[in-house]
Amino acid sequence: MGTIASLQLPGEIPFSPLRQEAERIYKEVTDNFSAWDSSSALSHINQEAGHSSITVPQTFSPLLSRTLIVAKQSGGAFNPLVGPLIDCWGFHGRKDGEIKIPTDEQLEKIKPLIQFDQIQIKGQQIGLARKGMQLDLGGVAKGYAVDRVWVALTQRNVESALIDLGGNLRCIGESKKGRGGWNTAIRNPFRRRDLVASFLLHPGEAVATSGNYERFVEINHKRYAHIIDPRTGHPVEGTASVTVIAPTAEKADILSTTLFVLGQKDGMRFLEKYAKDCDAIWIPDTPQTPTLFCTKGINKRDFNSSWKTVILASST
Ligand code: AMP
Ligand code: MG
């Protein structure tokens, strides 16, 4: 998945079997959902777009169906067919080596390829209606993978753990008896090595961050985030990072990407309507006036930051 995985297990338990189990799960998720590996199930679906359906492993359709729910709820801010736009902007590395801003005409041509109601799911058969359509579950697969490891460890009676896959975290129990969970932190999007805020993850909870500093392309000295607003065809500007705390890592992952696209105002509306059980922290792309915009639930998490912190009022 092009990132680093870590597993913290503070108890005195045999580590190797758990590590092996986590590695097995991460490999399975990559085999199913990787957009980079041309032999993954997802790549097979993309290769057959406009042709035929592919029989996928059992776990594939449920995850895809759940992402389609968020795609609809968010009015297409999250779009699992974002692949052709990602390609067009060169986020997966352009074959011709040259990076240019796509023309309006090019973006217009891609529009029919990102209509997510044209994904056909019939049980374990998945097909894309048009040639050129490309599934990309990069905004949700890591969180999903973390949940799978979380379930596996819980079933093996692990009582305390922190699972981290490239900034998608979920905890089991407490880091130490009496802590009330696991203390976690948010990176400074303007100086990656620094942390800007810390807070408590309650037992079982997850957190994910989408940031414009993780993956980007530079065109004419301007940085373009790897997250695209499918409604405009352009990379999202104005936001440096969005962190979401949620009951599961899949939810935290998909919502961090979704809220990055929606921005603060529409993002708050979305949370109030569809995800009341989540908290979010937006950092606007204003390094001169660094500010954190947080939902009010953050106050119940020993939240600490030296930056200016604004608690967002409800949108209604
Ligand atoms: P994340 O780091 O979880 O925010 O995921 C970013 C990844 O999600 C990108 O690298 C793309 O693969 C994919 N992506 C980018 N924009 C969108 C979008 N609007 N909807 C769904 N997936 C997206
Ligand atoms: Mg995400």
Side-chain angles (χ1 to χ4, degrees):
M1 286 178 249
T3 193
I4 293 168
S6 89
L7 193 54
Q8 287 183 53
L9 297 152
E12 285 178 40
I13 42 174
F15 185 73
S16 272
L18 299 173
R19 181 200 168 113
Q20 277 168 16
E21 180 64 359
E23 284 177 348
R24 187 192 63 74
I25 290 169
Y26 289 147
K27 185 175 179 308
E28 185 201 308
V29 174
T30 310
D31 289 346
N32 281 348
F33 298 108
S34 172
W36 305 78
D37 177 355
S38 60
S39 62
S40 72
L42 180 135
S43 295
H44 283 156
I45 295 170
N46 291 346
Q47 286 148 16
E48 287 301 314
H51 259 294
S52 53
S53 294
I54 295 291
T55 307
V56 290
Q58 243 173 12
T59 50
F60 203 111
S61 302
L63 176 62
L64 182 56
S65 300
R66 292 195 295 274
T67 71
L68 285 172
I69 293 172
V70 177
K72 279 186 203 130
Q73 289 172 338
S74 67
F78 189 93
N79 186 332
L81 284 183
V82 74
L85 284 171
I86 298 279
D87 252 11
C88 181
W89 280 88
F91 292 115
H92 285 176
R94 289 183 68 94
K95 287 178 199 77
D96 55 15
E98 199 184 335
I99 290 173
K100 280 194 204 121
I101 296 177
T103 61
D104 288 347
E105 208 185 355
Q106 281 171 311
L107 292 177
E108 204 54 40
K109 272 196 192 145
I110 290 175
K111 266 192 186 161
L113 302 179
I114 61 166
Q115 305 304 319
F116 56 81
D117 56 346
Q118 293 184 24
I119 300 174
Q120 296 147 356
I121 307 176
K122 281 199 192 101
Q124 280 175 249
Q125 298 277 317
I126 297 182
L128 304 176
R130 288 173 191 250
K131 192 169 184 292
M133 283 183 156
Q134 276 181 62
L135 274 179
D136 178 339
L137 297 179
V140 64
K142 290 193 199 84
Y144 164 77
V146 167
D147 283 342
R148 290 278 310 272
V149 172
W150 188 91
V151 169
L153 297 188
T154 306
Q155 283 171 347
R156 281 162 183 72
N157 300 320
V158 171
E159 286 174 0
S160 171
L162 188 67
I163 306 154
D164 178 0
L165 182 60
N168 294 270
L169 279 74
R170 190 166 178 194
C171 69
I172 298 177
E174 308 174 281
S175 58
K176 229 180 174 178
K177 228 178 167 64
R179 278 264 162 90
W182 284 77
N183 223 46
T184 44
I186 303 179
R187 278 192 193 289
N188 180 344
F190 312 118
R191 271 169 62 118
R192 280 215 57 184
R193 260 184 255 160
D194 299 348
L195 303 174
V196 295
S198 67
F199 56 88
L200 193 67
L201 269 191
H202 297 138
E205 283 185 335
V207 60
T209 298
S210 290
N212 71 355
Y213 51 88
E214 292 283 355
R215 262 187 212 139
F216 53 83
V217 290
E218 236 167 41
I219 308 174
N220 300 333
H221 308 294
K222 192 173 164 182
R223 230 179 229 205
Y224 289 90
H226 67 140
I227 299 175
I228 294 193
D229 185 340
R231 302 164 304 178
T232 61
H234 282 255
V236 179
E237 292 185 49
T239 298
S241 76
V242 178
T243 299
V244 174
I245 304 157
T248 67
E250 181 184 316
K251 194 163 185 184
D253 191 5
I254 196 163
L255 291 192
S256 67
T257 313
T258 306
L259 298 184
F260 195 95
V261 177
L262 286 176
Q264 236 176 70
K265 214 167 142 227
D266 291 344
M268 277 298 279
R269 273 199 209 112
F270 180 93
L271 285 176
E272 281 165 14
K273 200 162 175 194
Y274 299 113
K276 283 207 179 77
D277 51 358
C278 298
D279 274 311
I281 300 159
W282 278 268
I283 302 182
D285 198 7
T286 52
Q288 275 77 32
T289 52
T291 314
L292 300 161
F293 289 89
C294 310
T295 51
K296 61 177 186 295
I298 216 76
N299 285 329
K300 293 186 200 128
R301 306 183 169 278
D302 297 345
F303 187 78
N304 225 304
S305 176
S306 56
W307 281 16
K308 183 182 168 194
T309 303
V310 177
I311 301 293
L312 293 163
S314 109
S315 69
T316 45

